[in-house]
Amino acid sequence: MEQNGEGPDDLEDVAVVEEQVQQPEWKALFNFTTRAHVFPLAIGLSLSVTSGVVIPALAYFLGEIFDIFSSYATGTISGSDLTSRVSTSGIELVGLGSISWLLNGGFFMFWLSFGEFQAKAVRNKLFDGMLQKDMEWYDMRKAGVNAMIPRLQTQIRELQIATSQPLGFAIQHTVTLFAALGLAFYTAWNLTLVTVAAIPITAVVLAWISARMQPDIDSQVESLTQASKLVNNSITSIDTVKVFNGQDEEVWNYIEAVKKAAVCYLKVARANATQIGLVRVTLLGMFVQGFWYGSHLVDTGDKTSGQILTAFWACLMATQTMEQLLPQMIVLEKGRVAAATLKAVLDKVERGRTVKRMAGKKTPRYCDGDIQIRNVSFAYPSRPEQLTLNNTSFFFPAGETTFIIGRSGSGKSTLGNLLMQFYPPASGDILFDGESIQVLDTSWLRNNVTLVQQASVLFNETIFKNISFGRQDHGRVTIEEVQRCIDASALTETIRDLPKGLDTLVGMGGSAMSGGQKQRVAIARARLRNTPVLILDEATSALDHVSRTVVMESIREWRRGKTTIIITHDISQIEEDDYAYILDKGRIVQEGYRNAMENMKDSPFGGFLHPSINASTPNLRPTLQTRNRRSGFPSTIEESPRTSTDSSSSDVSDVSADSMDIRYPQRATIFQKAFIQSSDPDGNHSRRQSQSFMLSLPPMAMHMNRMSNARMSMVPVRNYNPQLERMPPMPTSSGIELGALDARWDKPLPVTPVMTLSTRRSSHPSTPSLVVQTKPPRLKRLLRFGRPKSMAKSTTSSESGTEISSLKAILSTVWPILTWKQRIISIIGFVSAFIHAAATPVFSWVFSKLLATFFMPEGRSHEALVWSMAVLGVAVGDVTASYCMHILLEMTGQAWVDNLRIQAMKRILNQPKSWFDRDKNNLSSLTECLDRNAEEMRNLVGRFAGFLFVAVVMMTISIVWSLIICWKLTLVGMATAPVMYGVTRGFETISGKWEGKSNEASEAAGSIFHETFVNIRTVRALTLEGYFHEKYALATTHALKVGMRRAAYSGLFFGISDASIIFITALIFWYGSVLASSAAFSTQDILTVFSQLLFSIANVNAIIAYIPQINSSRDTATRLLRLASLPLDTSHEHTGTQRLTHLPAPFTFTNLTFTYPLRPTHPVLDSLSLTIPLHTSTALVGPSGSGKSTIASLLLRLYPTSPAEALTVGNIPLSDLHTPTYRALIGYVPQSVTLFPATIAQNITYGLPLPSPTAITSAAHLAGIDTFISSLPLGYATPIGDGGMGLSGGQLQRIGIARALVRKPQLLVMDEPTSGLDSESAEGIRRVVGRLVGGGVTVVVVTHSEEMMRACGRVVVMGAGAVVEVGGWGELMRSGGALRRLMGGAEGRLASGSGGREEW
């Protein structure tokens, strides 16, 4: 695709939809419920309703039992009657507990099952819907598909959780609420009205607070989406991040996004804490009016004490139910928003605007391959104003081979996209065998047309499977058929040397293979496919000359008599009698047979034969006046003395501005000023003037002023002694301070160099400048955070998927990572939790005093009022403590998780390159871990740690108090603790085990989802929609089966643990009656112990309901802690300490043998000895897999060497050098350039403090991309990358070259830098290489291009992982050795040796 980006009429992506979903209805939770889900939903609903009656029934029995004790206390019944009647009630309680076991077990099981059904339904609908969308829909995602997919996965998870037990509990609690109130009204309607008088007001206030929370929830989701996007792009582009020292920049950008999300979440947490406090005020305030009025009713004889207590217990349970409902409402609220968002996304998927459906149904019996393109115009939807094809006509005769050549961005690749029916033409028509493409069935068309693109996409399958995908019936492809395709694609030796041959997994996106090997696999796949029409879009650009020649000869032989369209920059592939079209700016400027066009004077084709650029090739740094006239910068800017002095020099050190022209990389604000579009007074847009660098001061003065504004001091240093530097202010968050962000910005900090360093050479080589970007001391301490001892074992086990870390081990990581301020907040939070816990036993004691007033013959009302006021006093303290506990622990949990997120992000980016090649560290898992896993993990501290602490304190106080009052009854209650612990522990273990399995199954399905839609273009081209649909359906079905088993086991143990509370209650009451009847203890003492134990047991029972959520959080926490505990300093990139400001001497490889970590038994370099002199250009050439790119990777320090002395620079082992400082001296142009979702200027200056706009445009001009950038409406401020404007392969490469040049490198490593460029642009790059060498730069080029080899001073021919010969181009060609054979191929082939992947 050539021009594809963001348009003015953009379709909304997930983040935008989330903003639009303001107040979804509760029925949104059932958006994806189908008829198949009615059964579990109906059973779950009925069980929720039935089990909701259990608690009011328990209140009824408790009231009866209290009435029996009250009768005994007043002497109405005897001790034997007491024991007998309480025994009968106890048996009834046991029966109620048994019913509760069945009801709650079934209730839990069916609701978990319903959540699994919902997750499967939405997964399948999303997959099906997105699979049907045209390419336009994917191109128009603002955040990009890579960022959208993890967000969708998180939304699915939130919906699944909400529609599981939280929804069941919410319904159960609602039923309990109304049933309890019904019982209360039935028993004592007048007392009930007095008691619950404040509830309606409370409900209104709660609803108002909930409505106010929604905007903050939306803002949090938006910030988390941005954070996920940053993670996705940095991991996808890890080579670029490392080589350009971008780790810290990525971490700081991530910090900003995470911090914004934290601010929003804490606003929600404060609102929720307020709701909980309000409910507790209402709950405890009921005692004041309730018992005072109840005493009055007993005095007047209207009601008995048992009736009063039954009514009051029912009101109390109703209010407690409201309190228990609030935490579930938070989960349900997120699920409701997630469901509405997913529904809105699906609606847009199904009924999206502007997507022109190609409804053709015609399927001709044969396809001859005769193609006519008539007056076709086309513009990508994201840039409708710019035509990539402009009223263009082509004719591709059936059975013939036709070539298309042209400059980058001329519209060549667009032609392939149209022929594959990825897009409809804006005007004109395309005919296949005389039939309009609009009436042809899309599947038929794609089964008869094969497109092989430059960036060949392989799937995470074996080599055999990837090649088999060429056929629709890929399941029936034989090894012999695949082997024939392998032989024709020059892959035989490569696959023979692989450990598992054809059964070798290629990794995500084919990451385990080199670019050339991937292209050959793609060609083998096309060979197996063998369609009537074949389109090759730079399909051999990564192959060496011999391999390319052999493959092309094979293709010509194979395609004889079949329609073949070859899009290329390499005109050597075009033979004399081949027909070719030449495109320029979307139009055909010449067409004809090569021999005819070649003989035409001054023809466009002649420009490809003899490329030339302006003879007056600009200096590496043109004068400022010239640059101003060209780029629109105001000519009034004066040059600094150094600028004017050096402007005529061709010294490469002058590419950038001087060393003072640097600012801390907060790019957006600066570049909005430097490169943003403005309007003139008349309202006419003036782009060139809009790019003016808005200055009225001389450059040096303005630089100093900007540095002052940035609060940063830059001091030139010598002898590697860094000076002090100030960090820019960071926006403060409300109520939270991240551990990584708590430096005092106003004070200068001592510098400790970290990963973002850059060296700037001044005009005097003897006075180098070292620019050191620093981080505050707190961040440095955080980045030294090591793996807690308690985590070591469990985390290791977790990596293999066999063990989830214990709650103790997880929580032990909280304290070390917090700042002292956060620790104080945490301490206050737990002190508040202690007060909140102690309030319950105190309340129980006061409550027992209230109960005792019913036994008083006189003065009952006065005593009831006194103790009711005491309850009110306890309520005030309890509510205050409860609010502080919730908000402070939420703050602690947020700080903990955000610190771990940052820690994990930092450590991930600092892992060696080989770490990212492992399957378990795939992009989808890492992104999900930092997003969804972190969000769930926060609950361990924010919610569950407080609950558990309160339960322990409460039980301890209650037991001690009860032992003092009635030790016998307390011991009986304590005797049930082992049973209770065993049941709870069993529930926790079973739930945790199956939670982990369920998460793994969901992750597997998510990986397939991610792979399908990230590579959707290739999936479409190979008509693999059915295969991936089936594969995903199997994965989601497996996830459902695992989830159903989890539901069954968890439901069984939950029912037992929940019912055991009722059994224990029956036992305590029975033994209490025995003690009371024996007069061993007073009735009041026994009732006091009853109150203490029952209130404590009720709180413990509430915690049991959270065990599944706790286990889910434990599982996700284990995964995140694994990342946050990754070793930080053990990578080879952290072993060196010696810092250089210039490269002192040649690079020397001495008997170096190297194997990639994933293939330790297969050497890629074998006893390599090579010297690369400084200030020279060296071309590394050889067959694919011979070790060329491996040498480049070692020079870039992406992999370690052993022994260290095998690779040196100036007799210094490369491993001894400080890697960031060393990389600051290097420029790198990869074969596949990756861009970040930012502006063009930000991409060019990635990893650097900002050079001046002059330096940026100079680098772009040298790379041949400035003219194109200047033609864009926003110029250098144009967004590109994922979610931005798409670029052609050639444009990508030229921006990559500009990014390397702007750094003023002393070593420039280029991997096939001209493979995507037309001949004129490639010639310009070769000239630049020559000037760089003349300016003192060492250039190493991995290339297959003969022209690039000629341009380099030295050519190193590789074979079998070793150097075969070294010398100048002419010398080696005259000698008739390996290079001659490599370029000619007539006298034999140079063995590829390893044949394996250069990047294994």
Side-chain angles (χ1 to χ4, degrees):
M1 187 174 64
E2 310 222 348
Q3 302 289 338
N4 186 17
E6 183 178 341
D9 218 5
D10 194 1
L11 284 172
E12 294 84 359
D13 59 8
V14 179
V16 176
V17 171
E18 285 166 344
E19 291 177 3
Q20 295 178 346
V21 178
Q22 296 297 330
Q23 282 297 327
E25 299 178 357
W26 286 110
K27 67 179 182 180
L29 290 170
F30 304 98
N31 279 341
F32 304 98
T33 302
T34 66
R35 290 185 178 180
H37 308 158
V38 171
F39 176 74
L41 176 60
I43 299 297
L45 281 171
S46 60
L47 291 176
S48 292
V49 172
T50 310
S51 61
V53 180
V54 170
I55 294 179
L58 179 62
Y60 172 79
F61 286 114
L62 292 178
E64 280 199 341
I65 292 174
F66 177 78
D67 208 8
I68 296 171
F69 273 95
S70 180
S71 299
Y72 173 74
T74 56
T76 306
I77 60 174
S78 63
S80 58
D81 290 337
L82 170 66
T83 305
S84 175
R85 294 173 64 178
V86 169
S87 297
T88 302
S89 297
I91 293 172
E92 293 172 344
L93 280 177
V94 171
L96 180 65
S98 301
I99 295 173
S100 174
W101 180 356
L102 295 175
L103 293 177
N104 282 293
F107 145 85
F108 204 83
M109 178 178 69
F110 279 98
W111 279 112
L112 280 179
S113 301
F114 180 69
E116 293 289 345
F117 280 119
Q118 294 299 284
K120 185 176 188 298
V122 69
R123 284 172 181 149
N124 290 341
K125 284 187 177 182
L126 266 177
F127 192 91
D128 293 345
M130 290 176 62
L131 206 59
Q132 297 301 316
K133 295 304 292 181
D134 287 341
M135 291 309 304
E136 176 185 350
W137 186 85
Y138 294 94
D139 296 339
M140 298 293 284
R141 300 306 90 211
K142 284 184 66 177
V145 176
N146 275 332
M148 178 183 73
I149 291 173
R151 196 67 235 158
L152 289 175
Q153 302 284 15
T154 301
Q155 299 280 12
I156 293 171
R157 177 66 176 176
E158 289 175 351
L159 174 62
Q160 178 184 354
I161 292 174
T163 53
S164 297
Q165 69 269 22
L167 179 57
F169 281 127
I171 295 173
Q172 183 190 61
H173 293 332
T174 302
V175 172
T176 300
L177 173 65
F178 286 104
L181 288 176
L183 176 62
F185 275 104
Y186 175 78
T187 307
W189 66 268
N190 44 3
L191 174 63
T192 303
L193 284 176
V194 172
T195 303
V196 302
I199 289 181
I201 300 175
T202 303
V204 171
V205 176
L206 291 177
W208 179 78
I209 294 175
S210 294
R212 302 268 298 184
M213 291 163 54
Q214 188 59 48
D216 293 318
I217 294 175
D218 294 339
S219 298
Q220 183 206 9
V221 169
E222 183 179 356
S223 297
L224 289 177
T225 300
Q226 177 63 21
S228 293
K229 184 176 179 180
L230 291 169
V231 173
N232 181 86
N233 286 301
S234 60
I235 295 175
T236 302
S237 312
I238 190 61
D239 284 6
T240 302
V241 172
K242 285 180 173 294
V243 173
F244 289 96
N245 287 331
Q247 293 97 321
D248 281 344
E249 184 173 342
E250 295 298 324
V251 171
W252 280 97
N253 289 336
Y254 184 69
I255 288 173
E256 283 295 287
V258 165
K259 187 173 62 176
K260 290 178 183 177
V263 172
C264 298
Y265 178 78
L266 289 177
K267 290 180 181 179
V268 175
R270 277 193 290 271
N272 184 247
T274 302
Q275 288 180 315
I276 293 174
L278 183 62
V279 171
R280 289 199 69 81
V281 166
T282 305
L283 172 66
L284 299 178
M286 289 167 50
F287 285 85
V288 178
Q289 70 265 28
F291 268 88
W292 171 79
Y293 188 64
S295 298
H296 170 73
L297 292 178
V298 173
D299 287 340
T300 58
D302 289 344
K303 299 292 181 183
T304 66
S305 57
Q307 290 175 318
I308 295 298
L309 191 62
T310 298
F312 188 78
W313 269 109
C315 291
L316 182 63
M317 288 179 175
T319 314
Q320 280 181 327
T321 299
M322 288 181 60
E323 186 179 21
Q324 294 172 3
L325 189 58
L326 283 177
Q328 309 296 350
M329 292 301 294
I330 298 175
V331 179
L332 291 176
E333 183 66 35
K334 293 183 74 173
R336 178 172 67 161
V337 173
T341 302
L342 289 169
K343 180 66 174 175
V345 170
L346 269 173
D347 288 343
K348 290 184 178 297
V349 166
E350 294 168 358
R351 303 191 303 273
R353 70 138 195 95
T354 73
V355 176
K356 289 187 179 180
R357 297 286 182 184
M358 301 189 190
K361 297 295 183 183
K362 195 165 186 178
T363 57
R365 187 172 182 181
Y366 300 106
C367 177
D368 294 327
D370 195 84
I371 302 173
Q372 298 179 57
I373 298 176
R374 296 178 177 175
N375 304 318
V376 165
S377 294
F378 175 77
Y380 284 100
S382 51
R383 297 189 63 202
E385 75 286 351
Q386 183 167 345
L387 292 176
T388 55
L389 289 179
N390 188 358
N391 196 29
T392 308
S393 297
F394 299 86
F395 176 56
F396 303 105
E400 294 189 14
T401 296
T402 308
F403 286 82
I404 299 176
I405 59 177
R407 291 185 175 87
S408 301
S410 59
K412 306 183 302 297
S413 296
T414 299
L415 188 61
N417 290 330
L418 294 179
L419 292 177
M420 291 301 298
Q421 218 172 19
F422 289 152
Y423 305 93
S427 63
D429 200 4
I430 301 175
L431 304 179
F432 272 79
D433 297 338
E435 298 284 354
S436 172
I437 197 173
Q438 302 291 342
V439 302
L440 294 175
D441 179 75
T442 302
S443 295
W444 178 89
L445 180 74
R446 291 174 182 165
N447 281 320
N448 284 279
V449 180
T450 298
L451 172 64
V452 182
Q453 295 180 303
Q454 180 176 5
S456 302
V457 173
L458 303 184
F459 299 101
N460 190 24
E461 303 278 0
T462 63
I463 295 175
F464 179 85
K465 193 71 171 177
N466 270 282
I467 296 176
S468 298
F469 282 149
R471 283 240 305 262
Q472 273 192 303
D473 58 342
H474 46 79
R476 299 180 180 180
V477 175
T478 65
I479 293 179
E480 291 74 17
E481 290 174 312
V482 170
Q483 188 61 53
R484 285 195 293 271
C485 298
I486 289 171
D487 294 339
S489 304
L491 271 171
T492 306
E493 293 181 14
T494 298
I495 295 176
R496 182 187 301 133
D497 291 338
L498 294 176
K500 296 183 180 179
L502 285 171
D503 294 326
T504 302
L505 285 171
V506 302
M508 277 287 184
S511 60
M513 306 194 80
S514 70
Q517 290 163 352
K518 285 193 289 186
Q519 284 191 338
R520 282 182 284 171
V521 171
I523 291 170
R525 183 168 60 196
R527 180 69 180 262
L528 181 66
R529 193 172 179 81
N530 199 23
T531 53
V533 178
L534 173 67
I535 306 171
L536 300 177
D537 188 353
E538 296 287 358
T540 61
S541 60
L543 302 184
D544 60 87
H545 183 80
V546 169
S547 296
R548 186 186 306 131
T549 302
V550 170
V551 170
M552 284 304 301
E553 289 176 356
S554 174
I555 290 174
R556 283 183 178 275
E557 179 65 27
W558 157 43
R559 298 301 298 176
R560 184 172 293 142
K562 298 178 182 178
T563 306
T564 307
I565 302 171
I566 301 177
I567 300 168
T568 183
H569 290 124
D570 182 11
I571 62 172
S572 66
Q573 298 179 14
I574 308 176
E575 297 181 352
E576 292 294 315
D577 57 348
D578 284 333
Y579 200 88
Y581 289 94
I582 302 178
L583 282 179
D584 187 31
K585 297 181 180 178
R587 290 181 177 270
I588 298 174
V589 295
Q590 189 178 11
E591 63 176 290
Y593 293 98
R594 170 168 179 160
N595 52 13
M597 292 190 295
E598 207 168 11
N599 294 325
M600 292 178 64
K601 191 173 183 180
D602 298 328
S603 71
F605 186 78
F608 289 92
L609 287 173
H610 308 289
S612 63
I613 58 177
N614 194 311
S616 57
T617 301
N619 291 333
L620 294 183
R621 182 174 183 173
T623 63
L624 188 57
Q625 287 88 348
T626 302
R627 176 57 48 204
N628 291 340
R629 287 193 298 271
R630 205 187 62 75
S631 65
F633 292 157
S635 59
T636 56
I637 298 180
E638 299 177 12
E639 294 184 67
S640 65
R642 288 183 59 180
T643 303
S644 59
T645 301
D646 298 341
S647 63
S648 61
S649 172
S650 62
D651 188 353
V652 70
S653 64
D654 290 331
V655 172
S656 298
D658 55 64
S659 62
M660 296 299 292
D661 187 14
I662 298 172
R663 285 162 295 283
Y664 187 80
Q666 284 183 308
R667 296 199 182 100
T669 302
I670 295 175
F671 275 102
Q672 285 168 359
K673 293 179 180 179
F675 293 117
I676 198 66
Q677 183 174 2
S678 64
S679 301
D680 60 25
D682 298 327
N684 298 320
H685 291 288
S686 178
R687 182 190 54 74
R688 304 310 274 165
Q689 292 183 1
S690 70
Q691 293 181 0
S692 60
F693 203 41
M694 303 176 184
L695 308 175
S696 58
L697 299 174
M700 185 61 68
M702 180 52 67
H703 296 333
M704 297 301 294
N705 180 50
R706 286 187 174 170
M707 285 189 291
S708 174
N709 291 339
R711 303 167 72 182
M712 183 174 82
S713 175
M714 305 298 294
V715 183
V717 296
R718 302 181 184 181
N719 301 324
Y720 320 116
N721 292 324
Q723 304 296 314
L724 300 181
E725 179 181 43
R726 294 191 179 190
M727 297 296 296
M730 305 288 282
T732 57
S733 58
S734 175
I736 184 170
E737 180 181 16
L738 299 183
L741 302 176
D742 81 325
R744 298 180 181 276
W745 305 110
D746 295 330
K747 296 181 179 180
L749 301 172
V751 169
T752 299
V754 287
M755 291 306 296
T756 301
L757 292 93
S758 64
T759 55
R760 293 292 194 187
R761 285 180 290 166
S762 67
S763 58
H764 307 288
S766 61
T767 58
S769 297
L770 179 63
V771 179
V772 184
Q773 178 177 317
T774 63
K775 297 291 175 281
R778 171 64 198 134
L779 179 57
K780 284 181 273 181
R781 182 175 73 79
L782 173 63
L783 297 182
R784 291 196 300 266
F785 168 70
R787 176 186 301 218
K789 293 181 180 179
S790 57
M791 277 295 298
K793 179 179 179 180
S794 55
T795 302
T796 302
S797 299
S798 168
E799 291 183 20
S800 61
T802 58
E803 182 179 340
I804 300 176
S805 299
S806 68
L807 191 60
K808 178 183 176 182
I810 293 170
L811 294 180
S812 68
T813 66
V814 177
W815 184 262
I817 205 170
L818 299 179
T819 64
W820 273 109
K821 179 178 178 181
Q822 293 163 353
R823 290 175 181 178
I824 291 172
I825 290 174
S826 176
I827 291 171
I828 297 174
F830 279 102
V831 169
S832 300
F834 182 87
I835 296 172
H836 175 56
T840 298
V842 173
F843 168 79
S844 301
W845 178 73
V846 176
F847 182 64
S848 67
K849 295 297 183 181
L850 274 173
L851 294 179
T853 60
F854 288 107
F855 310 144
M856 299 175 62
E858 56 185 23
R860 180 184 294 115
S861 297
H862 177 267
E863 286 297 315
L865 181 60
V866 170
W867 289 111
S868 294
M869 296 305 295
V871 168
L872 188 60
V874 173
V876 172
D878 185 29
V879 168
T880 304
S882 174
Y883 176 84
C884 293
M885 177 191 77
H886 282 93
I887 187 59
L888 295 180
L889 291 184
E890 286 282 16
M891 291 173 65
T892 301
Q894 186 68 52
W896 172 55
V897 166
D898 285 344
N899 282 329
L900 286 176
R901 271 175 161 154
I902 296 165
Q903 184 65 225
M905 182 68 168
K906 178 71 178 180
R907 290 171 184 264
I908 286 171
L909 296 183
N910 278 279
Q911 295 307 297
K913 176 68 168 59
S914 58
W915 186 84
F916 296 89
D917 297 333
R918 302 173 189 167
D919 288 340
K920 68 179 179 182
N921 300 324
N922 63 76
L923 173 63
S924 177
S925 297
L926 294 177
T927 305
E928 184 177 14
C929 190
L930 290 173
D931 185 3
R932 175 180 70 83
N933 291 3
E935 287 297 291
E936 288 190 29
M937 177 183 180
R938 179 185 53 225
N939 293 331
L940 288 177
V941 172
R943 292 172 59 191
F944 305 135
F947 291 159
L948 293 172
F949 181 77
V950 166
V952 171
V953 172
M954 189 184 300
M955 287 297 296
T956 302
I957 294 175
S958 297
I959 288 172
V960 172
W961 201 329
S962 298
L963 284 171
I964 295 172
I965 297 173
C966 182
W967 63 272
K968 288 187 176 181
L969 182 57
T970 305
L971 287 178
V972 170
M974 290 177 62
T976 63
V979 177
M980 189 67 187
Y981 174 80
V983 171
T984 305
R985 184 65 176 172
F987 178 38
E988 178 188 6
T989 302
I990 293 298
S991 176
K993 173 185 175 181
W994 285 98
E995 186 70 37
K997 290 185 176 182
S998 182
N999 283 339
E1000 288 176 3
S1002 297
E1003 281 187 8
S1007 294
I1008 298 172
F1009 191 97
H1010 183 273
E1011 182 179 31
T1012 302
F1013 293 110
V1014 167
N1015 302 315
I1016 185 62
R1017 193 179 299 272
T1018 304
V1019 171
R1020 292 271 171 83
L1022 296 174
T1023 61
L1024 290 175
E1025 294 94 335
Y1027 171 78
F1028 280 99
H1029 185 277
E1030 182 181 358
K1031 185 177 181 181
Y1032 188 68
L1034 290 174
T1036 55
T1037 300
H1038 174 68
L1040 176 64
K1041 290 179 179 178
V1042 172
M1044 296 295 286
R1045 296 180 68 182
R1046 163 179 162 248
Y1049 288 116
S1050 298
L1052 174 66
F1053 279 84
F1054 174 77
I1056 297 173
S1057 60
D1058 192 69
S1060 60
I1061 302 295
I1062 300 178
F1063 298 148
I1064 293 172
T1065 301
L1067 175 63
I1068 291 174
F1069 272 116
W1070 172 79
Y1071 190 66
S1073 68
V1074 172
L1075 293 177
S1077 62
S1078 64
F1081 295 92
S1082 67
T1083 303
Q1084 182 174 346
D1085 289 342
I1086 291 174
L1087 290 177
T1088 299
V1089 174
F1090 281 165
S1091 300
Q1092 294 281 357
L1093 296 181
L1094 289 179
F1095 273 103
S1096 299
I1097 290 173
N1099 280 277
V1100 172
N1101 189 37
I1103 290 174
I1104 291 175
Y1106 289 116
I1107 285 180
Q1109 295 180 49
I1110 291 174
N1111 282 325
S1112 178
S1113 297
R1114 280 177 53 216
D1115 181 59
T1116 55
T1118 301
R1119 297 166 190 264
L1120 181 57
L1121 284 169
R1122 177 183 79 87
L1123 299 179
S1125 311
L1126 289 170
L1128 186 62
D1129 300 321
T1130 57
S1131 169
H1132 69 281
E1133 296 171 314
H1134 301 281
T1135 57
T1137 57
Q1138 187 168 349
R1139 303 166 190 269
L1140 300 176
T1141 54
H1142 64 277
L1143 299 177
F1147 291 88
T1148 304
F1149 296 80
T1150 307
N1151 294 322
L1152 174 62
T1153 298
F1154 176 80
T1155 61
Y1156 283 97
L1158 294 186
R1159 295 181 65 196
T1161 61
H1162 190 79
V1164 180
L1165 298 178
D1166 188 8
S1167 300
L1168 174 74
S1169 294
L1170 172 67
T1171 299
I1172 300 176
L1174 293 186
H1175 311 147
T1176 63
S1177 55
T1178 301
L1180 300 177
V1181 305
S1184 298
S1186 59
K1188 306 182 301 297
S1189 293
T1190 299
I1191 293 176
S1193 296
L1194 295 178
L1195 288 173
L1196 297 171
R1197 293 277 289 143
L1198 291 176
Y1199 294 94
T1201 57
S1202 180
E1205 294 76 15
L1207 175 56
T1208 62
V1209 53
N1211 296 321
I1212 304 172
L1214 211 59
S1215 58
D1216 290 349
L1217 297 182
H1218 182 246
T1219 301
T1221 309
Y1222 168 70
R1223 284 176 175 165
L1225 304 175
I1226 297 176
Y1228 174 50
V1229 182
Q1231 182 174 355
S1232 298
V1233 175
T1234 55
L1235 298 180
F1236 297 91
T1239 65
I1240 293 175
Q1242 290 169 355
N1243 271 282
I1244 291 176
T1245 60
Y1246 180 75
L1248 288 178
L1250 281 181
S1252 68
T1254 301
I1256 298 170
T1257 53
S1258 295
H1261 182 66
L1262 288 170
I1265 193 69
D1266 178 65
T1267 302
F1268 167 74
I1269 297 173
S1270 299
S1271 70
L1272 301 174
L1274 294 178
Y1276 284 83
T1278 302
I1280 54 177
D1282 198 6
M1285 190 193 74
L1287 301 171
S1288 70
Q1291 291 161 350
L1292 283 172
Q1293 275 191 309
R1294 283 182 282 179
I1295 288 181
I1297 293 169
R1299 179 163 59 192
L1301 295 180
V1302 80
R1303 299 171 67 85
K1304 298 198 309 181
Q1306 296 182 32
L1307 169 65
L1308 179 60
V1309 179
M1310 310 174 83
D1311 192 351
E1312 295 289 355
T1314 60
S1315 62
L1317 301 182
D1318 57 84
S1319 56
E1320 183 176 340
S1321 299
E1323 174 64 19
I1325 297 304
R1326 291 192 289 272
R1327 287 176 178 259
V1328 170
V1329 169
R1331 296 189 66 83
L1332 288 173
V1333 173
V1337 178
T1338 304
V1339 181
V1340 177
V1341 185
V1342 176
T1343 184
H1344 293 123
S1345 166
E1346 177 180 337
E1347 291 78 9
M1348 182 59 78
M1349 296 180 201
R1350 289 176 180 270
C1352 292
R1354 299 171 72 248
V1355 177
V1356 176
V1357 183
M1358 299 288 299
V1363 175
V1364 178
E1365 61 181 11
V1366 181
W1369 163 266
E1371 172 192 352
L1372 296 181
M1373 289 298 289
R1374 285 191 298 271
S1375 69
L1379 181 62
R1380 181 65 175 251
R1381 294 194 299 273
L1382 182 69
M1383 301 310 298
E1387 301 177 21
R1389 291 186 58 191
L1390 185 68
S1392 62
S1394 67
R1397 181 214 165 196
E1398 294 183 32
E1399 291 78 27
W1400 280 104

